[in-house]
Amino acid sequence: MPRTSRAAVGAVVVFAVFISVILSGRLHGSTLTVVDDFALLALATPAVVFSALAARSLWGRRRLAWLSMTIGLLGWTVGEAIWTFYEVHLHRPPFPSVADVAFLVMPVGACAALLLLPAEHTSQSRARLFLDGVIMAGSLFLVSWVTILHPLYQSYPSDQLGFVISLAYPLSDIIILTVAGVALVRSSGQHRLSLTLLTAGLACFALADSAFAYLSATGSYSSGSVIDIGWAAGLLFITVAASAAHDGKRKRRNSFALPGWASVWLPYTPLLVAGVVAAAQPVPDLKSRPVLIVASILVVTVLGRQFLAVKENRLLVATVADQALHDPLTGLANRALFSDRLSHAMHLHEREGMSLAVLAVDLNEFKLVNDHLGHLVGDDLLVGVAQRLRRCVRPGDTVARLGGDEFSILVEGGNDVAELVGNRVVEAFEEPFVLSDHELLMRPSVGLALAEPDEPHLTAEELMRRADAAMYSAKRSRARVVQVYHPDIAALDEAADRRLFGAFEPRFDAGGAAAIELLGKLRQAIDKSELTLVYQAKVDLRTAENVGAEALIRWPQPDGTVLAPEEFLPLVRRHGLMGQFTQLVIGKALDDALAWRRAGLDLPIAVNLFAPSVANIALPATITEALAERGLPPTALTVEITEELFLDSTERTRAVLQELRRNGIRIAIDDFGSGYSALSYLRDLPIDEVKLDRSFIAPILVDARAAAVVRAVVDLAHVLDLTVVVEGVEDVETAALVQELGCDVGQGFFYGVPVAPDELLEAAVRKLRAIGPTH
Ligand code: C2E
Ligand code: CA
Ligand code: CA
């Protein structure tokens, strides 16, 4: 049993013994006094310790609260020790005394603790909390007045100090109970248990204190009285409250927390008690001034609170109605509200010829974020996207989240306004999103469809469909601009679909089913190893020598056509086929390398890997094994990391890269300069080679600044001892310029298109023969 629960069990046992001793009435006189005093001291100790432990385990205001509680309890314990000393040595302790000063530290500490406990997010207003406080304080005062304060007042005709001290107990109890009541009313959810226990403990203390004040005033208190059970129970409750106060896992906070039932009944309970107690009093007592004043304050407050409650309820109903039309995550309009606004706008379009536009926005590769970084990061990303989209529109426009990563914007106005908004949307994604340790550069696909006066009978559904078609077209072409709908889009896309889905000839809206069929075929093709590799030569720019070949995947179809990687790699990534696929590529590539070697061609090959597979710890071992099986040296292989989303450089990725490199395998960063990679990768990642993307190289012939940037990157790479490879060299001019800029290796249609492995071998052998005799 852990030490803490042993202590708790001990406290419960002491409490049980204590009650039975007091209630049985077996002990009398000084024995009872001593047993009683020491039992209370024994119960106070765990209360202090647990409260201190709670303070240590918590943060911020909760920690301070339990610290105040500890100080209060410590004060009370000291008071009890002094009291015990008096009773053992003096038999009749003085009242008031130093002990009372120490005892009164308790209400101060408890009050501070309750005030320090942080307020939780609830729907109640401060005004209502205040009124609840007044109702509780007033009712408690009434109870206290008729039962204790009034008799006290009458029994201290001369002793001023005694009266003030006696008064201090019940009054401080009223304050504490009120503060505890308010804290309970506004608490919601996870911390309520500990707070309820604490309040119960303080209530026990309050009862005992008030009874003590009353009995002391009439001179009839002695230790061992029944009221001592109040303190003992109070200490026990506080001990349990303290041990329950450890914060669990911090939950995600609900945006809307329902107030607990306590907020409904708690303020009225003291009022009810006050009513019952007052009803039992003789009428003249009730006519005393304090009773009348407090009673009228209570009446006014209760009315005020009712009024407020009704007002807040109306507000609540309005909020609920509002939420029915908004997306809870992002706060954007939901589909219902969007449809409503759209159909309204379409009516105006039909009747008055108003122009309007719908933008369909979809995030590229959002699923990857969800799959690899978790749904919480995905949610945060959606919230960030919503914020940016909101900034792109004018006040009257509607931004909606229709589901998942699908957003729509309704723009009232013509072509110019709509394109302006669309461009702003594209620009809004230029900056990466910063989400809990990740920097994500997301790209949207944006489609735009216009309803213009020349088409008055256009329906809302058709407009939405057009915006979607334009968006899909943008996604297909990976366009970084707004794709405006035009009637040819559908035809173009259908042609693309036919190519992609072969004999199925899916209609646009049947894409889902066809994609599933295609996925089935892809699974089979991977299982049966039907995918093939073609190779593109890497050429040394100075010697024009073939220094390597990059393996590129192809999927031959039964009808003789061949699918290119971008047509099926998204399926591989999306449907968990990456591991199997990577195995297949590595296996085939190394088989080809071995065949070349046997035919006398010793050419290193490069394979492309998905970034997520590089985070797979098992990758280095798999590769080393594959090399060893074929008796190939590690220098025969380069891995290219195709990074289009986030090369997160997490510890795991870095460890895998380092391990690969230690094993002697070369590492290349692919597509550098395409907008996703950063200069810092060159510095931070263990790599050997950087491949400059075609889009990075394309403008250098016509743009001197672009050329200067390339030169700077090449120089930097050389300083870092990296080989620079240029991709996509298509003509002789570019080839000459990249050589002049200092690049080491070239790749592109100019040097050679990707070809089947035998063809590459034949070409290489022919080349060797051609230059052979001259050497
Ligand atoms: P990448 O790694 O950047 O490969 C270069 C792409 O550019 C190849 O397209 C190649 O055919 C094309 N290319 C080569 N020279 C030129 C040129 O002069 N001009 C132009 N316009 N293009 C040129 P491909 O084969 O369609 O591959 C596309 C992408 O698919 C690759 O880009 C790579 O990221 C990915 N990929 C290909 N095979 C694999 C694979 O086995 N595994 C993985 N994970 N990804 C692969
Ligand atoms: Ca590549
Ligand atoms: Ca590339």
Side-chain angles (χ1 to χ4, degrees):
M1 205 189 317
R3 221 168 13 173
T4 45
S5 39
R6 241 183 286 155
V9 169
V12 173
V13 170
V14 172
F15 178 70
V17 171
F18 179 81
I19 291 192
S20 53
V21 164
I22 290 200
L23 293 183
S24 70
R26 241 188 254 139
L27 296 181
H28 300 280
S30 58
T31 336
L32 175 62
T33 307
V34 171
V35 167
D36 174 278
D37 284 337
F38 279 101
L40 280 180
L41 274 176
L43 284 172
T45 317
V48 173
V49 171
F50 275 76
S51 172
L53 283 178
R56 210 180 63 170
S57 76
L58 295 168
W59 310 258
R61 289 182 60 157
R62 258 171 230 292
R63 161 173 283 185
L64 284 182
W66 280 100
L67 212 61
S68 315
M69 200 60 227
T70 313
I71 294 171
L73 285 167
L74 217 57
W76 193 88
T77 313
V78 170
E80 183 61 25
I82 299 173
W83 180 267
T84 307
F85 175 81
Y86 283 151
E87 286 204 313
V88 171
H89 289 274
L90 306 178
H91 296 291
R92 194 148 189 89
F95 180 82
S97 72
V98 223
D100 292 299
V101 178
F103 279 136
L104 284 170
V105 174
M106 172 72 182
V108 177
C111 207
L114 289 167
L115 290 174
L116 276 167
L117 282 176
E120 271 153 282
H121 186 86
T122 71
S123 58
Q124 287 126 305
S125 64
R126 285 182 175 274
R128 200 164 119 198
L129 280 177
F130 173 76
L131 295 183
D132 284 348
V134 172
I135 294 174
M136 284 188 268
S139 313
L140 290 171
F141 176 83
L142 274 187
V143 174
S144 195
W145 175 263
V146 293
T147 57
I148 300 162
L149 295 178
H150 194 51
L152 260 186
Y153 180 64
Q154 284 167 337
S155 63
Y156 278 102
S158 54
D159 180 2
Q160 286 282 323
L161 181 66
F163 176 59
V164 170
I165 296 273
S166 312
L167 210 58
Y169 284 103
L171 283 184
S172 61
D173 290 333
I174 291 178
I175 295 172
I176 289 194
L177 285 182
T178 304
V179 174
V182 171
L184 260 187
V185 164
R186 70 180 181 176
S187 80
S188 60
Q190 53 179 148
H191 299 293
R192 197 180 291 142
L193 173 67
S194 148
L195 186 60
T196 310
L197 289 166
L198 186 62
T199 308
L202 294 174
C204 291
F205 257 77
L207 279 177
D209 280 349
S210 294
F212 169 74
Y214 181 75
L215 292 180
S216 294
T218 54
S220 48
Y221 176 77
S222 67
S223 286
S225 151
V226 196
I227 66 162
D228 290 4
I229 294 178
W231 285 307
L235 288 169
L236 197 68
F237 272 125
I238 293 172
T239 308
V240 184
S243 63
H246 300 258
D247 261 351
K249 246 201 189 157
R250 282 201 203 180
K251 280 193 222 142
R252 260 203 154 208
R253 204 186 279 168
N254 254 332
S255 54
F256 184 80
L258 215 56
W261 275 106
S263 71
V264 179
W265 57 263
L266 198 67
Y268 292 113
T269 312
L271 192 65
L272 196 70
V273 175
V276 173
V277 171
Q281 299 302 311
V283 177
D285 277 10
L286 292 182
K287 285 206 174 145
S288 71
R289 189 167 293 157
V291 174
L292 287 179
I293 293 176
V294 174
S296 22
I297 292 178
L298 276 178
V299 170
V300 174
T301 318
V302 168
L303 286 178
R305 184 198 191 263
Q306 278 328 94
F307 175 75
L308 257 185
V310 171
K311 203 176 121 195
E312 277 172 21
N313 282 350
R314 286 177 53 115
L315 214 74
L316 214 62
V317 172
T319 312
V320 169
D322 188 63
Q323 281 185 346
L325 294 175
H326 288 91
D327 166 39
L329 178 67
T330 60
L332 295 178
N334 63 10
R335 194 180 280 276
L337 182 56
F338 188 81
S339 301
D340 189 54
R341 297 245 171 105
L342 179 61
S343 71
H344 179 74
M346 290 306 279
H347 279 305
L348 289 181
H349 165 73
E350 191 174 351
R351 274 206 315 267
E352 288 159 28
M354 184 186 86
S355 294
L356 64 115
V358 170
L359 281 155
V361 181
D362 195 277
L363 303 182
N364 299 343
E365 313 291 3
F366 174 70
K367 194 171 177 299
L368 280 182
V369 176
N370 254 349
D371 289 354
H372 293 287
L373 302 178
H375 289 272
L376 290 185
V377 176
D379 282 358
D380 286 349
L381 175 64
L382 290 175
V383 171
V385 167
Q387 273 168 358
R388 291 194 190 178
L389 289 182
R390 241 191 234 117
R391 269 184 255 136
C392 298
V393 300
R394 303 161 307 167
D397 301 331
T398 306
V399 183
R401 177 170 169 238
L402 302 185
D405 59 338
E406 216 185 306
F407 298 86
S408 257
I409 303 177
L410 171 62
V411 182
E412 295 187 4
N415 198 357
D416 303 350
V417 192
E419 282 199 34
L420 183 76
V421 173
N423 290 336
R424 280 207 212 144
V425 169
V426 174
E427 277 164 27
F429 287 80
E430 294 290 315
E431 291 281 304
F433 291 83
V434 181
L435 312 159
S436 63
D437 308 339
H438 300 282
E439 258 197 23
L440 299 188
L441 194 60
M442 297 299 293
R443 295 290 183 191
S445 296
V446 186
L448 167 64
L450 283 156
E452 281 179 308
D454 58 355
E455 258 187 307
H457 299 302
L458 190 66
T459 61
E461 293 73 40
E462 173 61 16
L463 187 62
M464 292 283 281
R465 198 198 63 78
R466 288 182 182 181
D468 275 348
M471 183 273 286
Y472 277 114
S473 174
K475 201 179 264 306
R476 229 178 255 288
S477 61
R478 294 193 143 249
R480 292 214 187 138
V481 289
V482 182
Q483 175 70 59
V484 183
Y485 175 85
H486 53 88
D488 301 340
I489 270 189
L492 287 178
D493 281 335
E494 257 166 43
D497 279 345
R498 244 193 307 281
R499 212 163 96 66
L500 188 57
F501 300 117
F504 302 116
E505 295 209 359
R507 303 248 357 124
F508 184 73
D509 49 10
I516 289 171
E517 297 244 30
L518 186 73
L519 176 64
K521 291 207 293 175
L522 177 62
R523 285 214 167 98
Q524 266 184 4
I526 294 177
D527 282 344
K528 295 191 188 156
S529 196
E530 283 168 3
L531 303 181
T532 58
L533 288 173
V534 289
Y535 292 85
Q536 186 176 35
K538 287 173 143 179
V539 176
D540 186 306
L541 291 177
R542 270 171 294 271
T543 63
E545 220 176 294
N546 212 350
V547 289
E550 176 178 1
L552 296 161
I553 197 78
R554 295 289 180 267
W555 183 10
Q557 299 293 298
D559 63 0
T561 59
V562 173
L563 288 190
E566 71 257 24
E567 293 175 292
F568 59 91
L569 288 188
L571 288 177
V572 172
R573 307 190 69 139
R574 215 157 280 165
H575 297 280
L577 301 172
M578 272 190 295
Q580 218 187 333
F581 177 83
T582 303
Q583 284 270 9
L584 177 106
V585 170
I586 291 174
K588 277 198 182 258
L590 292 184
D591 282 344
D592 290 334
L594 186 61
W596 290 344
R597 270 175 186 253
R598 290 194 173 138
L601 177 65
D602 190 355
L603 199 60
I605 51 163
V607 296
N608 293 285
L609 293 183
F610 296 111
S613 14
V614 180
N616 178 3
I617 295 284
L619 184 73
T622 315
I623 291 183
T624 311
E625 235 167 73
L627 284 166
E629 268 171 24
R630 296 168 179 83
L632 288 167
T635 45
L637 186 65
T638 301
V639 296
E640 295 189 4
I641 300 155
T642 341
E643 184 45 291
E644 74 283 359
L645 181 60
F646 49 87
L647 191 55
D648 207 21
S649 41
T650 54
E651 280 316 303
R652 206 137 40 103
T653 307
R654 184 190 306 275
V656 170
L657 291 183
Q658 249 147 11
E659 177 71 15
L660 284 172
R661 230 172 150 222
R662 233 198 326 273
N663 296 348
I665 291 151
R666 278 172 71 81
I667 304 201
I669 288 279
D670 210 349
D671 302 338
F672 190 86
S674 65
Y676 294 104
S677 41
L679 276 181
S680 57
Y681 292 166
L682 300 188
R683 181 196 59 200
D684 297 340
L685 290 173
I687 54 175
D688 305 275
E689 188 175 305
V690 48
K691 300 190 73 179
L692 306 186
D693 192 66
R694 200 173 108 75
S695 63
F696 193 56
I697 296 302
I700 57 173
L701 278 182
V702 288
D703 183 351
R705 291 164 63 90
V709 172
V710 170
R711 185 188 292 279
V713 170
V714 170
D715 289 346
L716 174 67
H718 284 161
V719 169
L720 296 171
D721 215 9
L722 305 175
T723 306
V724 180
V725 181
V726 234
E727 296 188 317
V729 178
E730 291 183 345
D731 48 56
V732 65
E733 293 85 3
T734 313
L737 184 53
V738 292
Q739 189 186 353
E740 193 191 313
L741 291 176
C743 302
D744 307 300
V745 175
Q747 212 185 329
F749 297 162
F750 174 67
Y751 307 106
V753 296
V755 294
D758 320 338
E759 233 174 288
L760 189 108
L761 178 63
E762 271 166 34
V765 171
R766 231 180 293 127
K767 201 166 160 187
L768 278 178
R769 285 212 190 104
I771 54 176
T774 57
H775 276 263

